[in-house]
Amino acid sequence: MSIRFRIVGSFVLLILFLIGSELYDKIVINSLIGDAKMINYAGSQRMRTAKLAYLASVYIETRDEAYKKEITKEITKYEEILDGLQQGSEKLELVGVNDMEANAYIGEARTLWTVYKINLGEIIDKKDARSIMLIRELVFPLIEEMNHLTFRLDEVSTSNVEQFRQAKKIALWIALLLGILIAIDIMRAIVRPMNKLLNGMHKVAEGDLHLQMEERGKNEFSLLAASFNDMTNSLNESRNELEKTNKELEDFVYTVSHDLKEPLRGISAFSQFIREDYEEKLDDKGRDYLKRIIKSCSRMRELIDDLLTLSRIGRTKNPFEEVDAKVLVEEVLNRSKHFIDEKKVVINVAEDLPVIYCDKIKMQELFANLISNAIKFIDKSPPVVEIGYEKRSGEDLFFISDNGIGIDKRYFDKIFEIFQRLNLKEDYKGSGAGLTIVKKVVEEHGGRIWVESLVGEGSTFFFTIPKRSNN
Amino acid sequence: MRQKTIEVLLVEDNPDDVEITKRAFAKGNLLNRLHIVRDGQEALDYLYGQGEYAEVPRPGLILLDINLPKVNGIDVLRKIKKDDDLREIPVVMLTVSKRDEDIVESYDLGVNSYIIKPVEFDKFMETAKNIENYWLHTNEGPK
């Protein structure tokens, strides 16, 4: 069912119920008005009974024909009302009794009335004064009967009012319940699927592209869920495509680097053989050329090794673990101890290095590269390298600073690109892939890396490692 | 140093690597005779004494490249280690490959050592020396 249909349907239902309730009110109120008329007429019959008795006795005394006429008129009126009370009358706007007890009172009143009427007839037709005695005897029982009827009608009417009141109460509760049911239905139809979609969106944003939404029923949300699924599917495809391409690229780099190594091994070995076996047969120029070949070979080997390292970083995925950064940095420093001692570098490591959640092997590679990079570009004495840390919300910020030659602001981004070297090869050794490797490791951990530097003062490399999320 | 002659079978298709290996072994302390075959099939023919290899001496050490034409090094190694007679000959894999699956497979098959060919000759010399030392200090195998 579409949501539009549900909402429109619900409101139509509610409106129909209210119209029904209104119609019911009207009917009940009309019937209550009818009740009042019945009561009034029943009441008036009491008065009419007394009036007839009075008129009869005055007529006997005065024999005035006007009274006779009046008596005849009242008799007709009495009967008309009595019929109206029992069967209903359009003229009098009476509906007639539907209560057994009231009807019984009318029946009894009618019996008394028949006698009453005969005696009235005796008086006005035969001028029989004795009949007045019977009239006087009958007047109170007849009034009494009408009194019963009046009270009974009042009782019935009161109970009708009470019933109406109850019915209104029930109708109110039904309307309220109906409203709640409609609200729940709309909630279920809108809020729930919307929350599901929202959650799904969050998950997709966090990288879960395998998420599939349930496409239940046939409404706007199932269509939305279908589009959502199409979206994640195509995102997933793109990601797989990208991963495949990346892997192909990394495999390509790996294969090419390996294949390049083979001829290089030949060039390198045979130029060395020439040096070993034929160096004295060459003149200075020849020896210089040979030296250049051998040097180029070393450079080429460095480049290939860096390429291999870079492709290995991308290709291998070691399990993440909790690693004490302090211990890790110590290990890295121990491994480069020879190099550090040789250059007489002062290394200050912050005391409070945290435990981080990372790929330990790659993290070692990262620190090793940043530390050796820092040392490499120091021209002052003593060389000082500082390894520091700052706790931040959601991530750990590390920095490695040196008092080296510094980097011009223009090159802040360029230094992270592969084989970008800002300095002449002769002055500073290295292939220029180190920072690319560092950047790749940081990014694989979901962190950021940047540099701040002043030419002649030194450089500081900052990088962040996100804290392990709890889920 | 005890002088002895080892028959070394080098299975290598790259002529440069053959030349480099020859030189490295020539400079070593070990007297050795290097027999060279160019692919996996030739290696098997040599070991089984087939065709032109009917009269060759049995090697005391096999240096086996992984990437070989016809029959690759891993398959040669598998055949050697399955043969009751040849199984005793130490096999050293010589290759540029650092691929984990190759290393794992070779060890699974019972390779004696695994050496990644270094680019620089000095390192290659070290490797050759390691092989010699390794051979000197291990069981010579049945004659």
Side-chain angles (χ1 to χ4, degrees):
Chain A
M1 233 191 308
S2 82
I3 295 192
R4 219 167 76 151
F5 181 82
R6 264 179 199 232
I7 294 177
V8 171
S10 300
F11 277 100
V12 166
L13 196 69
L14 204 61
I15 287 165
L16 281 177
F17 181 82
L18 289 175
I19 289 172
S21 161
E22 200 56 37
L23 281 174
Y24 171 78
D25 284 3
K26 217 167 192 174
I27 289 166
V28 171
I29 287 169
N30 277 343
S31 115
L32 288 179
I33 291 169
D35 283 354
K37 281 221 155 71
M38 292 280 280
I39 293 164
N40 277 343
Y41 275 113
S44 77
Q45 292 291 72
R46 291 181 298 198
M47 184 278 290
R48 196 158 283 113
T49 312
K51 186 180 177 184
L52 278 165
Y54 165 74
L55 285 174
S57 60
V58 173
Y59 177 68
I60 286 168
E61 276 171 33
T62 61
R63 298 290 170 188
D64 185 339
E65 284 304 302
Y67 288 108
K68 184 182 168 182
K69 215 174 162 186
E70 184 72 15
I71 289 167
T72 315
K73 201 182 115 198
E74 286 298 327
I75 288 171
T76 316
K77 189 87 186 165
Y78 192 100
E79 290 198 313
E80 193 187 349
I81 290 169
L82 201 61
D83 289 346
L85 284 172
Q86 195 159 28
Q87 289 132 31
S89 156
E90 249 175 66
K91 189 180 154 206
L92 301 177
E93 292 176 19
L94 287 173
V95 285
V97 287
N98 49 13
D99 179 67
M100 295 260 285
E101 202 182 325
N103 200 28
Y105 289 134
I106 294 174
E108 273 166 44
R110 198 180 277 283
T111 315
L112 287 172
W113 166 253
T114 312
V115 184
Y116 202 71
K117 187 183 155 192
I118 290 167
N119 283 298
L120 283 173
E122 293 287 319
I123 291 169
I124 53 172
D125 292 341
K126 297 169 186 168
K127 303 180 176 70
D128 186 351
R130 282 172 308 171
S131 292
I132 197 72
M133 295 309 290
L134 284 164
I135 294 286
R136 279 176 189 160
E137 266 173 49
L138 281 171
V139 67
F140 286 109
L142 193 54
I143 286 171
E144 188 77 357
E145 219 52 66
M146 273 300 140
N147 214 20
H148 283 316
L149 178 67
T150 309
F151 276 104
R152 178 61 195 161
L153 286 175
D154 180 58
E155 219 174 272
V156 169
S157 175
T158 308
S159 109
N160 280 345
V161 169
E162 192 51 41
Q163 254 177 38
F164 177 62
R165 206 174 271 155
Q166 289 293 336
K168 283 304 281 184
K169 219 187 252 175
I170 290 167
L172 192 73
W173 279 111
I174 289 174
L176 206 64
L177 201 70
L178 204 64
I180 290 170
L181 286 176
I182 287 171
I184 289 173
D185 184 61
I186 291 173
M187 284 262 283
R188 280 165 60 102
I190 297 175
V191 177
R192 245 204 238 161
M194 193 136 85
N195 279 339
K196 259 193 191 167
L197 270 170
L198 261 175
N199 277 338
M201 285 290 186
H202 279 306
K203 280 192 181 138
V204 168
E206 279 166 13
D208 178 6
L209 297 186
H210 294 289
L211 193 78
Q212 290 286 299
M213 282 282 148
E214 202 180 339
E215 294 174 32
R216 201 170 46 190
K218 204 145 186 72
N219 61 27
E220 289 85 343
F221 277 108
S222 68
L223 290 175
L224 202 57
S227 312
F228 181 91
N229 290 342
D230 286 347
M231 178 192 76
T232 51
N233 286 341
S234 77
L235 273 176
N236 212 6
E237 261 170 45
S238 312
R239 186 169 69 177
N240 289 343
E241 195 69 25
L242 198 65
E243 274 173 2
K244 207 181 125 207
T245 315
N246 260 341
K247 187 163 185 324
E248 277 169 5
L249 193 66
E250 274 160 0
D251 285 347
F252 174 76
V253 170
Y254 180 85
T255 313
V256 166
S257 311
H258 258 300
D259 290 351
L260 286 177
K261 253 186 162 179
E262 199 179 308
L264 181 63
R265 199 165 55 246
I267 301 169
S268 172
F270 292 109
S271 47
Q272 190 147 353
F273 296 169
I274 293 173
R275 184 152 75 181
E276 281 171 16
D277 298 351
Y278 304 103
E279 200 175 19
E280 64 274 14
K281 288 187 181 153
L282 295 171
D283 60 6
D284 282 352
K285 205 167 192 177
R287 275 195 286 275
D288 179 49
Y289 289 166
L290 190 59
K291 205 175 117 194
R292 285 173 193 271
I293 293 172
I294 292 169
K295 206 168 178 182
S296 289
C297 281
S298 307
R299 167 84 183 128
M300 179 87 172
R301 185 181 49 78
E302 279 171 15
L303 287 174
I304 292 174
D305 283 346
D306 277 337
L307 266 180
L308 280 170
T309 309
L310 203 58
S311 93
R312 182 169 51 78
I313 292 284
R315 280 152 45 92
T316 54
K317 298 263 180 291
N318 306 306
F320 273 42
E321 55 190 310
E322 303 277 353
V323 177
D324 188 341
K326 199 167 167 50
V327 176
L328 187 133
V329 168
E330 267 166 26
E331 281 170 10
V332 170
L333 290 176
N334 268 336
R335 237 185 284 161
S336 327
K337 200 172 181 310
H338 179 72
F339 179 58
I340 293 166
D341 290 348
E342 193 191 339
K343 287 209 161 192
K344 298 193 173 63
V345 187
V346 179
I347 299 204
N348 299 319
V349 184
E351 284 297 313
D352 57 347
L353 292 189
V355 170
I356 50 176
Y357 186 65
C358 65
D359 177 332
K360 190 180 172 186
I361 296 166
K362 288 185 187 175
M363 199 49 68
Q364 282 175 336
E365 201 123 12
L366 181 153
F367 274 104
N369 270 300
L370 281 179
I371 292 167
S372 76
N373 192 71
I375 296 172
K376 205 185 292 172
F377 296 104
I378 298 181
D379 54 352
K380 296 172 192 69
S381 187
V384 180
V385 172
E386 197 171 325
I387 299 168
Y389 160 73
E390 189 182 296
K391 190 177 179 168
R392 287 191 170 186
S393 76
E395 60 185 20
D396 290 313
L397 173 74
F398 292 90
F399 58 87
I400 289 160
S401 63
D402 60 62
N403 58 344
I405 56 173
I407 304 160
D408 192 293
K409 207 173 175 179
R410 277 177 295 172
Y411 304 117
F412 280 5
D413 289 327
K414 210 175 166 77
I415 50 168
F416 293 106
E417 290 169 22
I418 192 162
F419 300 148
Q420 290 292 338
R421 288 159 49 114
L422 308 177
N423 300 287
L424 291 172
K425 293 181 184 73
E426 301 297 323
D427 301 336
Y428 300 99
K429 279 182 84 175
S431 66
L435 287 176
T436 313
I437 291 166
V438 166
K439 185 169 186 242
K440 200 161 173 132
V441 172
V442 170
E443 281 171 357
E444 267 188 20
H445 282 77
R448 291 161 291 122
I449 182 163
W450 69 97
V451 66
E452 284 171 16
S453 184
L454 273 175
V455 174
E457 303 271 317
S459 308
T460 304
F461 284 84
F462 297 89
F463 68 93
T464 62
I465 298 294
K467 283 202 172 74
R468 185 181 194 174
S469 56
N470 288 324
N471 43 40
Chain B
M1 181 167 285
R2 196 154 57 110
Q3 290 288 305
K4 53 184 174 181
T5 307
I6 312 160
E7 307 291 338
V8 178
L9 175 64
L10 173 65
V11 190
E12 174 64 76
D13 63 314
N14 182 334
D16 284 356
D17 284 343
V18 170
E19 198 56 38
I20 295 166
T21 314
K22 264 186 184 169
R23 187 178 170 99
F25 276 84
K27 286 198 166 186
N29 293 321
L30 223 56
L31 281 177
N32 56 65
R33 277 171 55 193
L34 213 52
H35 303 272
I36 294 145
V37 289
R38 297 300 171 90
D39 62 53
Q41 189 52 54
E42 275 183 33
L44 292 171
D45 288 348
Y46 183 101
L47 290 168
Y48 287 107
Q50 276 161 358
E52 55 177 308
Y53 303 109
E55 298 298 322
V56 294
R58 176 193 168 89
L61 175 68
I62 300 170
L63 301 178
L64 183 58
D65 190 24
I66 281 193
N67 299 310
L68 290 170
K70 292 182 188 166
V71 182
N72 79 29
I74 295 279
D75 288 334
V76 174
L77 178 67
R78 189 175 290 122
K79 284 225 164 93
I80 292 171
K81 291 300 173 187
K82 267 190 188 157
D83 188 296
D84 287 342
D85 188 37
L86 298 175
R87 191 191 295 152
E88 305 296 330
I89 305 173
V91 178
V92 174
M93 301 303 275
L94 267 182
T95 184
V96 292
S97 170
K98 221 176 182 176
R99 284 178 194 271
D100 289 347
E101 59 262 44
D102 286 345
I103 297 174
V104 169
E105 198 173 358
S106 300
Y107 278 107
D108 281 350
L109 290 170
V111 79
N112 296 71
S113 189
Y114 194 105
I115 283 151
I116 294 153
K117 293 177 191 169
V119 169
E120 284 175 344
F121 184 70
D122 289 347
K123 289 200 176 144
F124 203 95
M125 277 298 297
E126 266 174 51
T127 308
K129 225 173 233 157
N130 286 340
I131 293 170
E132 289 186 340
N133 287 336
Y134 166 83
W135 204 86
L136 273 172
H137 295 106
T138 47
N139 192 339
E140 288 174 26
K143 293 261 152 130

